[in-house]
Amino acid sequence: MSIRATATSGLATLVPYTDGVLPELVDFHARTLLPGGRKFPTSDVGVSDGIAGHVDGTAVVLREHGAVAGYAALFAPSIPEAPGWHATIVHAPAASAEAAALLWERTVAAFRAQHRSTPSFLRVFASRDHPAALHQATTHGFLTERTFHARRRPLTPDDATPTAAAGLTAIEWDEVYARGLAEQVRHVQYVAFLEHFGGLSKSPSAWERHLRGAVFAPELSVAVLADGEAVPTVVGVLLASRYTDDSAGTREVQAHADYIGVLPEWRRRGVAETAIRAHLAIAAGRGYPAASLGVDTVNDAANRVYERLGYAVTGGSAALRLDA
């Protein structure tokens, strides 16, 4: 379903996204504290990267009282491991219920028109601290599929000295490239996330897009090598981003761990902790005030590790699903 004409509800207006409105979307993110946070930077490149790849004609911008109050875009399934459609739906907490409803209605309608009766579903992620978004999801028939903790850890000078488990060495991203280990890193990410919720394993093409995208922060990312191997062997990875967190009512840019992956045969041997401590050391050295990550609320083993390493729960998000 393409948005070819303006849609309105009261003082709210929905218009097609074009490159010409991008500066206004950047300004929207710069001036608006949104519940939860975002991984992409507040820039033309960052915001456009978050919309890139949407189904043609489904990206829309919400205006209320003449100013941008939100936007949305619909994305088709990209890999067999993740067959569902997904959408980005963003609106300011101050947006009226009528304006938010207009944005959700149009996105759901676009999904129903696009999937062409093939059994499928639409997934949207929303902060659990954004009651207006959760209300709209419920109103439009979405059910909560999974919930996630947002965890934060303050950084101190003591974190700048990393520790590694016996038999393991953490290396930074420039060394990953220098030693030709990027494909090994991709393999670990792919294997580690094969059974993860949402189909997060990255194919070679998706991997290359991730490395080139605005979200990936190579300067905060690490790989873990097994010592004593005849050839360098990557057994764990931590791929990072720079997370803009507005959840406390103020803005904080954090070092964020997006993917922490370990080869199955190397689990419970200190690989993940070695990767995290190296990541924390880099972030502390670069002056970040805090580190963060997201984790499934039912992943008890991971939550115990993060709790022990000082990551406290500060909020969370929900995966919301609408079946066709």
PDB file of all heavy atoms in Angstrom, residues 17-19 21-30 34 38-54 59 61 68 70-71 73 75 88 90 213-215:
ATOM      1  N   TYR A  17       7.244   9.876   2.917  1.00  0.00           N
ATOM      2  CA  TYR A  17       8.640  10.212   3.204  1.00  0.00           C
ATOM      3  C   TYR A  17       9.371  10.488   1.898  1.00  0.00           C
ATOM      4  O   TYR A  17       9.241   9.749   0.916  1.00  0.00           O
ATOM      5  CB  TYR A  17       9.321   9.061   3.935  1.00  0.00           C
ATOM      6  CG  TYR A  17      10.833   9.191   3.967  1.00  0.00           C
ATOM      7  CD1 TYR A  17      11.439  10.021   4.901  1.00  0.00           C
ATOM      8  CD2 TYR A  17      11.628   8.512   3.045  1.00  0.00           C
ATOM      9  CE1 TYR A  17      12.823  10.167   4.925  1.00  0.00           C
ATOM     10  CE2 TYR A  17      13.014   8.651   3.066  1.00  0.00           C
ATOM     11  CZ  TYR A  17      13.591   9.478   4.006  1.00  0.00           C
ATOM     12  OH  TYR A  17      14.955   9.624   4.021  1.00  0.00           O
ATOM     13  N   THR A  18      10.150  11.539   1.874  1.00  0.00           N
ATOM     14  CA  THR A  18      11.057  11.837   0.767  1.00  0.00           C
ATOM     15  C   THR A  18      12.390  12.276   1.361  1.00  0.00           C
ATOM     16  O   THR A  18      12.474  12.646   2.544  1.00  0.00           O
ATOM     17  CB  THR A  18      10.519  12.960  -0.140  1.00  0.00           C
ATOM     18  OG1 THR A  18      10.471  14.179   0.630  1.00  0.00           O
ATOM     19  CG2 THR A  18       9.128  12.631  -0.667  1.00  0.00           C
ATOM     20  N   ASP A  19      13.428  12.262   0.547  1.00  0.00           N
ATOM     21  CA  ASP A  19      14.730  12.713   1.035  1.00  0.00           C
ATOM     22  C   ASP A  19      14.690  14.161   1.508  1.00  0.00           C
ATOM     23  O   ASP A  19      15.473  14.566   2.372  1.00  0.00           O
ATOM     24  CB  ASP A  19      15.787  12.551  -0.060  1.00  0.00           C
ATOM     25  CG  ASP A  19      16.115  11.091  -0.332  1.00  0.00           C
ATOM     26  OD1 ASP A  19      15.791  10.243   0.525  1.00  0.00           O
ATOM     27  OD2 ASP A  19      16.691  10.798  -1.394  1.00  0.00           O
ATOM     28  N   VAL A  21      12.584  15.583   3.370  1.00  0.00           N
ATOM     29  CA  VAL A  21      12.135  15.736   4.756  1.00  0.00           C
ATOM     30  C   VAL A  21      13.173  15.197   5.743  1.00  0.00           C
ATOM     31  O   VAL A  21      13.016  15.361   6.957  1.00  0.00           O
ATOM     32  CB  VAL A  21      10.776  15.034   4.969  1.00  0.00           C
ATOM     33  CG1 VAL A  21      10.946  13.522   5.147  1.00  0.00           C
ATOM     34  CG2 VAL A  21      10.027  15.610   6.162  1.00  0.00           C
ATOM     35  N   LEU A  22      14.255  14.607   5.251  1.00  0.00           N
ATOM     36  CA  LEU A  22      15.254  14.004   6.126  1.00  0.00           C
ATOM     37  C   LEU A  22      15.813  14.980   7.161  1.00  0.00           C
ATOM     38  O   LEU A  22      15.942  14.623   8.346  1.00  0.00           O
ATOM     39  CB  LEU A  22      16.382  13.398   5.288  1.00  0.00           C
ATOM     40  CG  LEU A  22      17.451  12.607   6.032  1.00  0.00           C
ATOM     41  CD1 LEU A  22      16.836  11.475   6.845  1.00  0.00           C
ATOM     42  CD2 LEU A  22      18.481  12.060   5.044  1.00  0.00           C
ATOM     43  N   PRO A  23      16.172  16.225   6.789  1.00  0.00           N
ATOM     44  CA  PRO A  23      16.665  17.154   7.825  1.00  0.00           C
ATOM     45  C   PRO A  23      15.665  17.370   8.962  1.00  0.00           C
ATOM     46  O   PRO A  23      16.059  17.538  10.118  1.00  0.00           O
ATOM     47  CB  PRO A  23      16.914  18.449   7.041  1.00  0.00           C
ATOM     48  CG  PRO A  23      17.176  17.994   5.638  1.00  0.00           C
ATOM     49  CD  PRO A  23      16.261  16.825   5.443  1.00  0.00           C
ATOM     50  N   GLU A  24      14.370  17.349   8.640  1.00  0.00           N
ATOM     51  CA  GLU A  24      13.365  17.510   9.694  1.00  0.00           C
ATOM     52  C   GLU A  24      13.314  16.289  10.611  1.00  0.00           C
ATOM     53  O   GLU A  24      13.069  16.422  11.812  1.00  0.00           O
ATOM     54  CB  GLU A  24      11.998  17.750   9.070  1.00  0.00           C
ATOM     55  CG  GLU A  24      11.842  19.102   8.394  1.00  0.00           C
ATOM     56  CD  GLU A  24      10.434  19.295   7.877  1.00  0.00           C
ATOM     57  OE1 GLU A  24       9.572  19.724   8.673  1.00  0.00           O
ATOM     58  OE2 GLU A  24      10.190  18.987   6.688  1.00  0.00           O
ATOM     59  N   LEU A  25      13.545  15.099  10.049  1.00  0.00           N
ATOM     60  CA  LEU A  25      13.567  13.901  10.884  1.00  0.00           C
ATOM     61  C   LEU A  25      14.800  13.909  11.796  1.00  0.00           C
ATOM     62  O   LEU A  25      14.723  13.472  12.952  1.00  0.00           O
ATOM     63  CB  LEU A  25      13.572  12.642  10.022  1.00  0.00           C
ATOM     64  CG  LEU A  25      12.283  12.331   9.268  1.00  0.00           C
ATOM     65  CD1 LEU A  25      12.395  10.974   8.561  1.00  0.00           C
ATOM     66  CD2 LEU A  25      11.084  12.331  10.194  1.00  0.00           C
ATOM     67  N   VAL A  26      15.920  14.382  11.271  1.00  0.00           N
ATOM     68  CA  VAL A  26      17.114  14.510  12.105  1.00  0.00           C
ATOM     69  C   VAL A  26      16.836  15.483  13.248  1.00  0.00           C
ATOM     70  O   VAL A  26      17.168  15.219  14.417  1.00  0.00           O
ATOM     71  CB  VAL A  26      18.319  14.970  11.265  1.00  0.00           C
ATOM     72  CG1 VAL A  26      19.518  15.256  12.165  1.00  0.00           C
ATOM     73  CG2 VAL A  26      18.677  13.918  10.219  1.00  0.00           C
ATOM     74  N   ASP A  27      16.200  16.602  12.950  1.00  0.00           N
ATOM     75  CA  ASP A  27      15.852  17.583  13.977  1.00  0.00           C
ATOM     76  C   ASP A  27      14.870  16.991  14.983  1.00  0.00           C
ATOM     77  O   ASP A  27      14.976  17.250  16.188  1.00  0.00           O
ATOM     78  CB  ASP A  27      15.252  18.829  13.320  1.00  0.00           C
ATOM     79  CG  ASP A  27      14.800  19.848  14.347  1.00  0.00           C
ATOM     80  OD1 ASP A  27      15.669  20.447  15.012  1.00  0.00           O
ATOM     81  OD2 ASP A  27      13.570  20.038  14.504  1.00  0.00           O
ATOM     82  N   PHE A  28      13.922  16.183  14.501  1.00  0.00           N
ATOM     83  CA  PHE A  28      12.962  15.516  15.387  1.00  0.00           C
ATOM     84  C   PHE A  28      13.696  14.664  16.416  1.00  0.00           C
ATOM     85  O   PHE A  28      13.404  14.721  17.620  1.00  0.00           O
ATOM     86  CB  PHE A  28      12.001  14.665  14.553  1.00  0.00           C
ATOM     87  CG  PHE A  28      11.178  13.684  15.341  1.00  0.00           C
ATOM     88  CD1 PHE A  28      10.106  14.101  16.104  1.00  0.00           C
ATOM     89  CD2 PHE A  28      11.489  12.329  15.320  1.00  0.00           C
ATOM     90  CE1 PHE A  28       9.343  13.201  16.834  1.00  0.00           C
ATOM     91  CE2 PHE A  28      10.740  11.410  16.039  1.00  0.00           C
ATOM     92  CZ  PHE A  28       9.668  11.851  16.796  1.00  0.00           C
ATOM     93  N   HIS A  29      14.681  13.882  15.970  1.00  0.00           N
ATOM     94  CA  HIS A  29      15.421  13.048  16.906  1.00  0.00           C
ATOM     95  C   HIS A  29      16.316  13.880  17.817  1.00  0.00           C
ATOM     96  O   HIS A  29      16.525  13.519  18.981  1.00  0.00           O
ATOM     97  CB  HIS A  29      16.266  12.024  16.131  1.00  0.00           C
ATOM     98  CG  HIS A  29      15.502  10.802  15.743  1.00  0.00           C
ATOM     99  ND1 HIS A  29      15.074   9.867  16.653  1.00  0.00           N
ATOM    100  CD2 HIS A  29      15.060  10.367  14.532  1.00  0.00           C
ATOM    101  CE1 HIS A  29      14.421   8.907  16.034  1.00  0.00           C
ATOM    102  NE2 HIS A  29      14.382   9.189  14.750  1.00  0.00           N
ATOM    103  N   ALA A  30      16.803  14.990  17.313  1.00  0.00           N
ATOM    104  CA  ALA A  30      17.677  15.828  18.133  1.00  0.00           C
ATOM    105  C   ALA A  30      16.912  16.508  19.267  1.00  0.00           C
ATOM    106  O   ALA A  30      17.449  16.689  20.367  1.00  0.00           O
ATOM    107  CB  ALA A  30      18.359  16.872  17.260  1.00  0.00           C
ATOM    108  N   LEU A  34      12.763  10.262  23.394  1.00  0.00           N
ATOM    109  CA  LEU A  34      11.885   9.129  23.116  1.00  0.00           C
ATOM    110  C   LEU A  34      12.094   8.039  24.163  1.00  0.00           C
ATOM    111  O   LEU A  34      13.237   7.758  24.544  1.00  0.00           O
ATOM    112  CB  LEU A  34      12.172   8.569  21.727  1.00  0.00           C
ATOM    113  CG  LEU A  34      11.849   9.508  20.560  1.00  0.00           C
ATOM    114  CD1 LEU A  34      12.465   8.989  19.274  1.00  0.00           C
ATOM    115  CD2 LEU A  34      10.336   9.652  20.402  1.00  0.00           C
ATOM    116  N   ARG A  38      17.864   4.454  20.833  1.00  0.00           N
ATOM    117  CA  ARG A  38      18.087   4.100  19.428  1.00  0.00           C
ATOM    118  C   ARG A  38      19.576   3.903  19.195  1.00  0.00           C
ATOM    119  O   ARG A  38      20.415   4.498  19.881  1.00  0.00           O
ATOM    120  CB  ARG A  38      17.557   5.190  18.504  1.00  0.00           C
ATOM    121  CG  ARG A  38      18.067   6.571  18.829  1.00  0.00           C
ATOM    122  CD  ARG A  38      17.404   7.650  18.006  1.00  0.00           C
ATOM    123  NE  ARG A  38      17.694   8.960  18.537  1.00  0.00           N
ATOM    124  CZ  ARG A  38      18.813   9.633  18.354  1.00  0.00           C
ATOM    125  NH1 ARG A  38      19.769   9.086  17.623  1.00  0.00           N
ATOM    126  NH2 ARG A  38      19.000  10.821  18.873  1.00  0.00           N
ATOM    127  N   LYS A  39      19.880   3.037  18.228  1.00  0.00           N
ATOM    128  CA  LYS A  39      21.270   2.698  17.952  1.00  0.00           C
ATOM    129  C   LYS A  39      21.903   3.623  16.919  1.00  0.00           C
ATOM    130  O   LYS A  39      23.118   3.769  16.892  1.00  0.00           O
ATOM    131  CB  LYS A  39      21.359   1.246  17.474  1.00  0.00           C
ATOM    132  CG  LYS A  39      20.879   0.240  18.493  1.00  0.00           C
ATOM    133  CD  LYS A  39      20.915  -1.166  17.913  1.00  0.00           C
ATOM    134  CE  LYS A  39      20.339  -2.171  18.886  1.00  0.00           C
ATOM    135  NZ  LYS A  39      20.329  -3.541  18.329  1.00  0.00           N
ATOM    136  N   PHE A  40      21.088   4.193  16.028  1.00  0.00           N
ATOM    137  CA  PHE A  40      21.679   5.010  14.965  1.00  0.00           C
ATOM    138  C   PHE A  40      21.951   6.434  15.454  1.00  0.00           C
ATOM    139  O   PHE A  40      21.261   6.950  16.335  1.00  0.00           O
ATOM    140  CB  PHE A  40      20.759   5.039  13.735  1.00  0.00           C
ATOM    141  CG  PHE A  40      19.363   5.532  14.014  1.00  0.00           C
ATOM    142  CD1 PHE A  40      19.080   6.887  14.046  1.00  0.00           C
ATOM    143  CD2 PHE A  40      18.323   4.647  14.245  1.00  0.00           C
ATOM    144  CE1 PHE A  40      17.812   7.356  14.300  1.00  0.00           C
ATOM    145  CE2 PHE A  40      17.034   5.097  14.499  1.00  0.00           C
ATOM    146  CZ  PHE A  40      16.783   6.453  14.527  1.00  0.00           C
ATOM    147  N   PRO A  41      22.954   7.088  14.886  1.00  0.00           N
ATOM    148  CA  PRO A  41      23.290   8.451  15.314  1.00  0.00           C
ATOM    149  C   PRO A  41      22.308   9.483  14.784  1.00  0.00           C
ATOM    150  O   PRO A  41      21.597   9.239  13.797  1.00  0.00           O
ATOM    151  CB  PRO A  41      24.690   8.665  14.719  1.00  0.00           C
ATOM    152  CG  PRO A  41      24.742   7.746  13.540  1.00  0.00           C
ATOM    153  CD  PRO A  41      23.920   6.557  13.906  1.00  0.00           C
ATOM    154  N   THR A  42      22.283  10.644  15.434  1.00  0.00           N
ATOM    155  CA  THR A  42      21.429  11.744  15.003  1.00  0.00           C
ATOM    156  C   THR A  42      22.120  12.489  13.871  1.00  0.00           C
ATOM    157  O   THR A  42      22.798  13.490  14.084  1.00  0.00           O
ATOM    158  CB  THR A  42      21.153  12.700  16.176  1.00  0.00           C
ATOM    159  OG1 THR A  42      20.664  11.952  17.283  1.00  0.00           O
ATOM    160  CG2 THR A  42      20.116  13.741  15.801  1.00  0.00           C
ATOM    161  N   SER A  43      21.972  11.962  12.669  1.00  0.00           N
ATOM    162  CA  SER A  43      22.591  12.556  11.488  1.00  0.00           C
ATOM    163  C   SER A  43      21.799  12.123  10.273  1.00  0.00           C
ATOM    164  O   SER A  43      20.977  11.195  10.340  1.00  0.00           O
ATOM    165  CB  SER A  43      24.040  12.090  11.345  1.00  0.00           C
ATOM    166  OG  SER A  43      24.084  10.697  11.082  1.00  0.00           O
ATOM    167  N   ASP A  44      22.039  12.783   9.140  1.00  0.00           N
ATOM    168  CA  ASP A  44      21.375  12.377   7.903  1.00  0.00           C
ATOM    169  C   ASP A  44      21.648  10.910   7.595  1.00  0.00           C
ATOM    170  O   ASP A  44      20.735  10.146   7.248  1.00  0.00           O
ATOM    171  CB  ASP A  44      21.853  13.237   6.731  1.00  0.00           C
ATOM    172  CG  ASP A  44      21.304  14.658   6.778  1.00  0.00           C
ATOM    173  OD1 ASP A  44      20.589  14.977   7.755  1.00  0.00           O
ATOM    174  OD2 ASP A  44      21.575  15.431   5.852  1.00  0.00           O
ATOM    175  N   VAL A  45      22.909  10.514   7.734  1.00  0.00           N
ATOM    176  CA  VAL A  45      23.284   9.131   7.429  1.00  0.00           C
ATOM    177  C   VAL A  45      22.619   8.168   8.409  1.00  0.00           C
ATOM    178  O   VAL A  45      22.086   7.125   8.022  1.00  0.00           O
ATOM    179  CB  VAL A  45      24.813   8.970   7.464  1.00  0.00           C
ATOM    180  CG1 VAL A  45      25.204   7.499   7.328  1.00  0.00           C
ATOM    181  CG2 VAL A  45      25.459   9.789   6.358  1.00  0.00           C
ATOM    182  N   GLY A  46      22.635   8.512   9.695  1.00  0.00           N
ATOM    183  CA  GLY A  46      22.066   7.628  10.696  1.00  0.00           C
ATOM    184  C   GLY A  46      20.575   7.426  10.532  1.00  0.00           C
ATOM    185  O   GLY A  46      20.087   6.295  10.542  1.00  0.00           O
ATOM    186  N   VAL A  47      19.829   8.508  10.374  1.00  0.00           N
ATOM    187  CA  VAL A  47      18.375   8.410  10.261  1.00  0.00           C
ATOM    188  C   VAL A  47      17.980   7.732   8.954  1.00  0.00           C
ATOM    189  O   VAL A  47      17.102   6.857   8.932  1.00  0.00           O
ATOM    190  CB  VAL A  47      17.717   9.796  10.378  1.00  0.00           C
ATOM    191  CG1 VAL A  47      16.217   9.704  10.156  1.00  0.00           C
ATOM    192  CG2 VAL A  47      18.012  10.404  11.755  1.00  0.00           C
ATOM    193  N   SER A  48      18.627   8.087   7.853  1.00  0.00           N
ATOM    194  CA  SER A  48      18.269   7.475   6.570  1.00  0.00           C
ATOM    195  C   SER A  48      18.616   5.994   6.558  1.00  0.00           C
ATOM    196  O   SER A  48      17.909   5.189   5.940  1.00  0.00           O
ATOM    197  CB  SER A  48      18.977   8.194   5.415  1.00  0.00           C
ATOM    198  OG  SER A  48      20.383   8.071   5.525  1.00  0.00           O
ATOM    199  N   ASP A  49      19.675   5.597   7.264  1.00  0.00           N
ATOM    200  CA  ASP A  49      20.041   4.182   7.337  1.00  0.00           C
ATOM    201  C   ASP A  49      18.951   3.377   8.041  1.00  0.00           C
ATOM    202  O   ASP A  49      18.726   2.205   7.724  1.00  0.00           O
ATOM    203  CB  ASP A  49      21.373   4.032   8.065  1.00  0.00           C
ATOM    204  CG  ASP A  49      21.958   2.636   7.928  1.00  0.00           C
ATOM    205  OD1 ASP A  49      22.150   2.189   6.786  1.00  0.00           O
ATOM    206  OD2 ASP A  49      22.206   1.988   8.963  1.00  0.00           O
ATOM    207  N   GLY A  50      18.270   3.996   8.994  1.00  0.00           N
ATOM    208  CA  GLY A  50      17.196   3.305   9.693  1.00  0.00           C
ATOM    209  C   GLY A  50      15.946   3.117   8.861  1.00  0.00           C
ATOM    210  O   GLY A  50      15.100   2.283   9.193  1.00  0.00           O
ATOM    211  N   ILE A  51      15.821   3.869   7.778  1.00  0.00           N
ATOM    212  CA  ILE A  51      14.651   3.773   6.897  1.00  0.00           C
ATOM    213  C   ILE A  51      14.989   3.020   5.622  1.00  0.00           C
ATOM    214  O   ILE A  51      14.112   2.484   4.947  1.00  0.00           O
ATOM    215  CB  ILE A  51      14.127   5.186   6.569  1.00  0.00           C
ATOM    216  CG1 ILE A  51      13.701   5.911   7.854  1.00  0.00           C
ATOM    217  CG2 ILE A  51      12.945   5.140   5.602  1.00  0.00           C
ATOM    218  CD1 ILE A  51      13.323   7.358   7.642  1.00  0.00           C
ATOM    219  N   ALA A  52      16.278   2.936   5.298  1.00  0.00           N
ATOM    220  CA  ALA A  52      16.706   2.293   4.053  1.00  0.00           C
ATOM    221  C   ALA A  52      16.207   0.859   3.972  1.00  0.00           C
ATOM    222  O   ALA A  52      16.189   0.135   4.967  1.00  0.00           O
ATOM    223  CB  ALA A  52      18.233   2.317   3.959  1.00  0.00           C
ATOM    224  N   GLY A  53      15.795   0.474   2.773  1.00  0.00           N
ATOM    225  CA  GLY A  53      15.334  -0.887   2.550  1.00  0.00           C
ATOM    226  C   GLY A  53      13.855  -1.103   2.779  1.00  0.00           C
ATOM    227  O   GLY A  53      13.358  -2.228   2.645  1.00  0.00           O
ATOM    228  N   HIS A  54      13.116  -0.040   3.108  1.00  0.00           N
ATOM    229  CA  HIS A  54      11.679  -0.201   3.331  1.00  0.00           C
ATOM    230  C   HIS A  54      10.959  -0.515   2.016  1.00  0.00           C
ATOM    231  O   HIS A  54      11.475  -0.260   0.928  1.00  0.00           O
ATOM    232  CB  HIS A  54      11.093   1.062   3.964  1.00  0.00           C
ATOM    233  CG  HIS A  54      11.112   2.258   3.061  1.00  0.00           C
ATOM    234  ND1 HIS A  54      12.187   3.123   2.998  1.00  0.00           N
ATOM    235  CD2 HIS A  54      10.205   2.736   2.174  1.00  0.00           C
ATOM    236  CE1 HIS A  54      11.933   4.071   2.130  1.00  0.00           C
ATOM    237  NE2 HIS A  54      10.737   3.859   1.606  1.00  0.00           N
ATOM    238  N   ALA A  59       6.947   4.310   3.589  1.00  0.00           N
ATOM    239  CA  ALA A  59       7.535   5.185   4.603  1.00  0.00           C
ATOM    240  C   ALA A  59       6.755   6.498   4.646  1.00  0.00           C
ATOM    241  O   ALA A  59       6.540   7.137   3.617  1.00  0.00           O
ATOM    242  CB  ALA A  59       9.005   5.460   4.299  1.00  0.00           C
ATOM    243  N   VAL A  61       5.649  10.166   7.114  1.00  0.00           N
ATOM    244  CA  VAL A  61       6.036  11.113   8.155  1.00  0.00           C
ATOM    245  C   VAL A  61       4.770  11.703   8.765  1.00  0.00           C
ATOM    246  O   VAL A  61       3.849  12.105   8.049  1.00  0.00           O
ATOM    247  CB  VAL A  61       6.915  12.235   7.579  1.00  0.00           C
ATOM    248  CG1 VAL A  61       7.239  13.278   8.644  1.00  0.00           C
ATOM    249  CG2 VAL A  61       8.204  11.644   7.004  1.00  0.00           C
ATOM    250  N   VAL A  68       7.121  17.820  12.681  1.00  0.00           N
ATOM    251  CA  VAL A  68       7.242  16.366  12.634  1.00  0.00           C
ATOM    252  C   VAL A  68       7.027  15.804  14.031  1.00  0.00           C
ATOM    253  O   VAL A  68       7.641  16.243  15.005  1.00  0.00           O
ATOM    254  CB  VAL A  68       8.621  15.944  12.099  1.00  0.00           C
ATOM    255  CG1 VAL A  68       8.840  14.439  12.273  1.00  0.00           C
ATOM    256  CG2 VAL A  68       8.760  16.324  10.630  1.00  0.00           C
ATOM    257  N   GLY A  70       6.563  12.168  14.234  1.00  0.00           N
ATOM    258  CA  GLY A  70       6.858  10.746  14.144  1.00  0.00           C
ATOM    259  C   GLY A  70       7.000  10.303  12.706  1.00  0.00           C
ATOM    260  O   GLY A  70       6.883  11.103  11.770  1.00  0.00           O
ATOM    261  N   TYR A  71       7.245   9.013  12.532  1.00  0.00           N
ATOM    262  CA  TYR A  71       7.356   8.448  11.190  1.00  0.00           C
ATOM    263  C   TYR A  71       7.224   6.931  11.293  1.00  0.00           C
ATOM    264  O   TYR A  71       7.285   6.347  12.396  1.00  0.00           O
ATOM    265  CB  TYR A  71       8.682   8.834  10.520  1.00  0.00           C
ATOM    266  CG  TYR A  71       9.919   8.366  11.249  1.00  0.00           C
ATOM    267  CD1 TYR A  71      10.571   7.188  10.885  1.00  0.00           C
ATOM    268  CD2 TYR A  71      10.454   9.112  12.302  1.00  0.00           C
ATOM    269  CE1 TYR A  71      11.706   6.761  11.549  1.00  0.00           C
ATOM    270  CE2 TYR A  71      11.593   8.692  12.962  1.00  0.00           C
ATOM    271  CZ  TYR A  71      12.218   7.510  12.588  1.00  0.00           C
ATOM    272  OH  TYR A  71      13.336   7.093  13.245  1.00  0.00           O
ATOM    273  N   ALA A  73       7.826   3.046   8.751  1.00  0.00           N
ATOM    274  CA  ALA A  73       8.228   2.391   7.508  1.00  0.00           C
ATOM    275  C   ALA A  73       8.018   0.895   7.660  1.00  0.00           C
ATOM    276  O   ALA A  73       8.161   0.339   8.758  1.00  0.00           O
ATOM    277  CB  ALA A  73       9.692   2.692   7.179  1.00  0.00           C
ATOM    278  N   PHE A  75       8.937  -3.095   6.322  1.00  0.00           N
ATOM    279  CA  PHE A  75      10.036  -3.858   5.743  1.00  0.00           C
ATOM    280  C   PHE A  75       9.590  -5.291   5.488  1.00  0.00           C
ATOM    281  O   PHE A  75       8.995  -5.935   6.364  1.00  0.00           O
ATOM    282  CB  PHE A  75      11.242  -3.857   6.679  1.00  0.00           C
ATOM    283  CG  PHE A  75      11.762  -2.480   6.991  1.00  0.00           C
ATOM    284  CD1 PHE A  75      11.189  -1.727   8.013  1.00  0.00           C
ATOM    285  CD2 PHE A  75      12.794  -1.931   6.257  1.00  0.00           C
ATOM    286  CE1 PHE A  75      11.647  -0.454   8.304  1.00  0.00           C
ATOM    287  CE2 PHE A  75      13.266  -0.658   6.535  1.00  0.00           C
ATOM    288  CZ  PHE A  75      12.693   0.086   7.557  1.00  0.00           C
ATOM    289  N   THR A  88       9.031  -0.129  11.526  1.00  0.00           N
ATOM    290  CA  THR A  88       9.498   0.886  12.466  1.00  0.00           C
ATOM    291  C   THR A  88       8.373   1.898  12.624  1.00  0.00           C
ATOM    292  O   THR A  88       7.912   2.472  11.634  1.00  0.00           O
ATOM    293  CB  THR A  88      10.755   1.584  11.931  1.00  0.00           C
ATOM    294  OG1 THR A  88      11.816   0.632  11.853  1.00  0.00           O
ATOM    295  CG2 THR A  88      11.163   2.735  12.830  1.00  0.00           C
ATOM    296  N   VAL A  90       7.551   5.184  15.006  1.00  0.00           N
ATOM    297  CA  VAL A  90       8.113   6.099  16.005  1.00  0.00           C
ATOM    298  C   VAL A  90       7.188   7.299  16.137  1.00  0.00           C
ATOM    299  O   VAL A  90       6.844   7.928  15.130  1.00  0.00           O
ATOM    300  CB  VAL A  90       9.514   6.584  15.584  1.00  0.00           C
ATOM    301  CG1 VAL A  90      10.070   7.572  16.606  1.00  0.00           C
ATOM    302  CG2 VAL A  90      10.462   5.399  15.408  1.00  0.00           C
ATOM    303  N   GLY A 213      27.054   0.028   7.611  1.00  0.00           N
ATOM    304  CA  GLY A 213      25.959   0.861   8.086  1.00  0.00           C
ATOM    305  C   GLY A 213      26.360   1.826   9.188  1.00  0.00           C
ATOM    306  O   GLY A 213      27.449   1.746   9.777  1.00  0.00           O
ATOM    307  N   ALA A 214      25.432   2.728   9.496  1.00  0.00           N
ATOM    308  CA  ALA A 214      25.688   3.765  10.495  1.00  0.00           C
ATOM    309  C   ALA A 214      25.604   3.244  11.924  1.00  0.00           C
ATOM    310  O   ALA A 214      26.092   3.899  12.851  1.00  0.00           O
ATOM    311  CB  ALA A 214      24.687   4.906  10.308  1.00  0.00           C
ATOM    312  N   VAL A 215      24.994   2.079  12.122  1.00  0.00           N
ATOM    313  CA  VAL A 215      24.813   1.561  13.473  1.00  0.00           C
ATOM    314  C   VAL A 215      26.101   0.960  14.030  1.00  0.00           C
ATOM    315  O   VAL A 215      26.467   1.188  15.189  1.00  0.00           O
ATOM    316  CB  VAL A 215      23.677   0.513  13.496  1.00  0.00           C
ATOM    317  CG1 VAL A 215      23.654  -0.245  14.821  1.00  0.00           C
ATOM    318  CG2 VAL A 215      22.329   1.190  13.260  1.00  0.00           C
TER     319      VAL A 215
END
